[in-house]
Amino acid sequence: MDDQTFAQPATALRDARSVVVLTGAGVSAESGIPTFRDTMEGLWASFDPQQLATPEAFARDPELVTRWYDHRRLGCAACEPNAGHLALARMEREICALGGSFTLLTQNVDGLHTRAGSTDPVELHGSVMTWRCSQTNRPVTPPPPPEPWPDFPPISPAGAPARPDVVWFGEALPETALERSFAALESCDLLLSVGTSSVVYPAAGFIELDAANGARTIEVNPQDTPMSSNVTWALRGKSAQILPRLIAEAFRAQ
Ligand code: BV8
């Protein structure tokens, strides 16, 4: 992609007073974490993630579901943030240094934005790194990576299976996450959507909401998504390459 492609979105980013970034599994792809709808690797190749990420699956087979999530917990812990995560952490610092506001909303459960230096991401779908009792909702601490849980399903002190702190399909997103999201979206003048297939709601609807509010939008993705027709600029490519170039163009003078 030539520099001209970056000129307008970079100017919009530098001039923005209130920036919201929405990320999906694509931003972690270059850290080695398979995206949600990629074919699952190895042991899990014969399972559909959408079928495993539900309360019904957990109730039906807590051993299988907790094994899958512990496999993902250890996989995420073994990965490092990539240049895309680091670029978003720098974007936050640059926007705030110019007196603007910045909010990062992520659908990812891998914790990589925090490890890259983003100060307070809104984890819309929770985290696979923390677990809780499925009965009392009290935290249950997993063994430190790379240690797996000793037993599956892990049993909480209350005697019930422990579950990961993720939002399953059919479960409501955390109230605070939704409140922070809508407050940020209402006032934002620039929304970046990075590495998401834009098919999971309510996050997928954020782009439509912001386009309706008059915000300009930048989509960073190797391919079109159902939201692409709503965006102002589509930067086609991998986020670990696109985001550093966008930041360099927007804040090169700083
Ligand atoms: C709810 C946690 C209500 C678990 C996840 C309205 C319309 C239609 C359906 C619904 C609706 N409202 C609700 C629904 C149902 C459902 C839904 O949206 N279903 C979809 C499938 C149609 N939504 C829900 O159930 C939500 N709950 O609304 O509750 C409610 C209210 C009150 C009371 C009770 C209930 C809950 C949704 C959350 C589900 N949990 N994750 C886990 O991780 O195991 S969602 C899951 O999908 C992941 O979090 C993932 O992040 C998310 C979205 O996927 P993406 O992140 O976009 O990842 P994907 O693989 O799909 O795409 C990757 C993209 O990256 C691709 O575009 C690819 O091209 C790109 N890419 C690849 N490489 C790169 C790249 N981009 C950049 N760089 C690269 N290198």
Side-chain angles (χ1 to χ4, degrees):
M1 298 176 81
D2 61 39
D3 288 346
Q4 191 47 36
T5 313
F6 287 87
Q8 283 188 359
T11 303
L13 177 57
R14 188 175 51 252
D15 295 347
R17 298 284 34 94
S18 174
V19 174
V20 172
V21 178
L22 170 67
T23 64
V27 81
S28 295
E30 285 149 287
S31 293
I33 298 178
T35 62
F36 203 74
R37 284 163 184 77
D38 272 351
T39 48
M40 294 211 299
E41 76 279 12
L43 181 65
W44 305 103
S46 54
F47 293 97
D48 170 3
Q50 212 145 307
Q51 296 309 313
L52 280 171
T54 67
E56 294 77 15
F58 178 71
R60 187 173 55 246
D61 193 343
E63 178 184 345
L64 173 69
V65 172
T66 52
R67 281 187 187 281
W68 182 51
Y69 276 98
D70 206 40
H71 170 72
R72 288 177 58 195
R73 173 178 75 95
L74 299 180
C76 294
C79 291
E80 293 299 324
N82 64 57
H85 293 108
L86 296 170
L88 290 174
R90 181 181 165 201
M91 185 188 293
E92 173 181 353
R93 293 192 295 272
E94 297 283 3
I95 293 291
C96 293
L98 291 170
S101 74
F102 179 94
T103 306
L104 174 59
L105 312 175
T106 186
Q107 299 171 91
N108 299 340
V109 298
D110 56 34
L112 288 184
H113 284 301
T114 301
R115 288 172 55 195
S118 293
T119 54
D120 186 15
V122 181
E123 293 184 317
L124 298 167
H125 297 161
S127 169
V128 75
M129 308 313 284
T130 54
W131 290 50
R132 66 176 190 263
C133 172
S134 59
Q135 196 174 321
T136 65
N137 283 327
R138 288 217 186 92
V140 184
T141 306
E147 277 304 301
W149 281 109
D151 304 300
F152 293 99
I155 300 300
S156 75
R163 58 164 287 178
D165 272 338
V166 299
V167 178
W168 280 325
F169 287 98
E171 292 187 319
L173 275 61
E175 261 314 301
T176 47
L178 285 173
E179 283 160 10
R180 285 184 64 194
S181 300
F182 290 124
L185 290 162
E186 265 157 30
S187 63
C188 97
D189 50 15
L190 183 66
L191 170 68
L192 287 90
S193 172
V194 183
T196 180
S197 57
S198 299
V199 296
V200 174
Y201 285 79
F206 291 172
I207 298 174
E208 289 165 314
L209 175 75
D210 255 29
N213 288 348
R216 293 186 295 178
T217 48
I218 301 171
E219 181 181 62
V220 177
N221 200 304
Q223 59 204 17
D224 276 4
T225 73
M227 287 301 154
S228 297
S229 56
N230 292 321
V231 304
T232 316
W233 299 285
L235 299 179
R236 288 286 166 256
K238 297 184 172 185
S239 48
Q241 288 148 23
I242 297 272
L243 290 174
R245 283 189 65 183
L246 179 64
I247 296 286
E249 177 69 22
F251 302 109
R252 60 165 177 242
Q254 265 73 1

